[in-house]
Amino acid sequence: MHLGLRDLRQAHASLAARAGALSPERRRQYVAVLGELERAAAAGDLPADPRAPIGTALLDTFLENAEAGRYRATTTATGPTSASTNRVRIGCLNRLSEQAGQPYGLRHRTPAPPPKPGTSTREAAALRGYLRAQNRRPLLDDGHARILAAIGICLDTGGRSGELAAIRLADLTPGLRAVRLRPNPQRLAGPGTGPGEPVRLSAATRDALARYLLVRERLVAALRAWYALHPDQGVDPNHDFLFVSLLPNHTGRPSVEGGTPLRPEGVPLHPQGLRRALDRAALRINAGRPRARPLPTMEQLRRIIDGPPGAG
């Protein structure tokens, strides 16, 4: 192996510069692995010179130490990294080395975690019935509106969280009768015959979407008003992403008045943020209906096996 840290950085830059080559989540994973390599070099476990090749023995040592949690970016977490993280690390190193022209061909050192159980046909039908029933009742809160719309789209399309997070208003056809997904580059999938083709939405999903869009418009209107007072915060007030945040958070940018102001709700959600937000909402709703069948997580939703999308 003749690749150094500089070669891997350049491979990442090459992938990142290619339009559509990396999802935001995959980009963060590459950055995390490169950060581990840099911390290993700073600790003296890899060559300090980024041009120096990282040989097989050094790479094996790096992987052992990384799996033990030695190269974490934060000291708040302790202990070994998870099996999923270990497999992502191997996958990133293999892909970066392929891009650099000298594939590592590393084998996974930890077994794949068992897949979570999918949603059965009966559970999918129950979810559709639940969605129809909820559409006839008052919303509990903004999070309730958002998760109902997401459940409907996921039931109808089987989309992943990254694909749901990428949906824009322009991807919804007139009358909310269909949605165009933007498949992740790693999989050209879905119910359509090609990327971007419209997928029919059920009546229950259309009703849930219509209610959520009213909530979304209110949230984004607050974002636009806030932007008028904070134009230096790097926020796009005219974005058209479908799924948006419900709570304020820090922009991370100092303002001209000093400090880092809180930006309001209404900003687009990244895939991981969307998945976590919807899972939290499911837990909250489940807690309020203990006798009902619990709503599944997003991962379980996308594994639905009840035949043609959009049925019902």
Side-chain angles (χ1 to χ4, degrees), residues 203-291:
T205 297
R206 294 197 298 271
D207 291 343
L209 258 177
R211 293 212 291 178
Y212 168 67
L213 285 172
L214 295 175
V215 170
R216 180 198 175 279
E217 178 54 34
R218 171 169 48 79
L219 297 174
V220 175
L223 175 65
R224 295 190 193 106
W226 177 87
Y227 177 80
L229 302 176
H230 301 278
D232 60 333
Q233 290 301 301
V235 174
D236 180 6
N238 300 309
H239 77 82
D240 67 341
F241 286 95
L242 176 61
F243 288 107
V244 300
S245 63
L246 306 181
L247 299 172
N249 59 19
H250 282 285
T251 64
R253 293 190 178 194
S255 71
V256 292
E257 296 87 4
T260 54
L262 282 175
R263 59 184 172 189
E265 56 275 13
V267 299
L269 284 170
H270 293 296
Q272 187 174 7
L274 176 61
R275 183 169 59 249
R276 288 176 176 172
L278 295 175
D279 286 349
R280 284 196 300 268
L283 291 174
R284 187 184 71 252
I285 292 171
N286 290 342
R289 47 195 286 269
R291 296 185 180 180

Side-chain angles (χ1 to χ4, degrees), residues 19 45 50 56 68 115 122 124 139 163 168 174 211 242 252 283 286 307 311:
D45 298 333
T56 304
R122 181 177 299 177
L139 292 169
E163 291 160 336
R168 297 171 179 263
R211 293 212 291 178
L242 176 61
L283 291 174
N286 290 342

Side-chain angles (χ1 to χ4, degrees), residues 120-209:
S120 70
T121 303
R122 181 177 299 177
E123 287 171 325
L127 275 176
R128 288 193 169 93
Y130 171 79
L131 186 59
R132 287 191 292 268
Q134 291 298 303
N135 286 337
R136 296 191 293 268
R137 297 173 182 171
L139 292 169
L140 299 176
D141 52 30
D142 293 346
H144 191 199
R146 186 177 62 184
I147 193 174
L148 291 179
I151 286 174
I153 293 176
C154 198
L155 281 169
D156 291 346
T157 69
R160 299 171 186 248
S161 57
E163 291 160 336
L164 267 63
I167 295 175
R168 297 171 179 263
L169 298 184
D171 297 325
L172 299 170
T173 63
L176 306 179
R177 294 194 172 277
V179 62
R180 295 180 179 87
L181 292 186
R182 301 163 186 265
N184 290 337
Q186 289 83 2
R187 66 158 199 152
L188 294 181
T193 57
E197 294 193 1
V199 181
R200 184 174 68 88
L201 296 177
S202 65
T205 297
R206 294 197 298 271
D207 291 343
L209 258 177

Side-chain angles (χ1 to χ4, degrees), residues 36-37 40 45-46 56-71 79-81 86 89-90 93 106 109-110:
E36 288 183 329
L37 289 165
D45 298 333
L46 292 178
T56 304
L58 286 176
L59 193 58
D60 286 342
T61 300
F62 162 77
L63 290 172
E64 289 176 6
N65 288 336
E67 289 168 3
R70 180 171 177 179
Y71 305 130
T81 54
N86 296 340
R89 184 184 297 114
I90 292 289
L93 288 172
L106 298 170
R109 300 157 56 94
T110 51

Side-chain angles (χ1 to χ4, degrees), residues 115-121 123-124 296 299-305:
K116 294 183 180 179
T119 306
S120 70
T121 303
E123 287 171 325
E299 181 178 347
Q300 290 170 323
L301 270 173
R302 73 174 180 81
R303 293 170 59 84
I304 286 173
I305 54 173

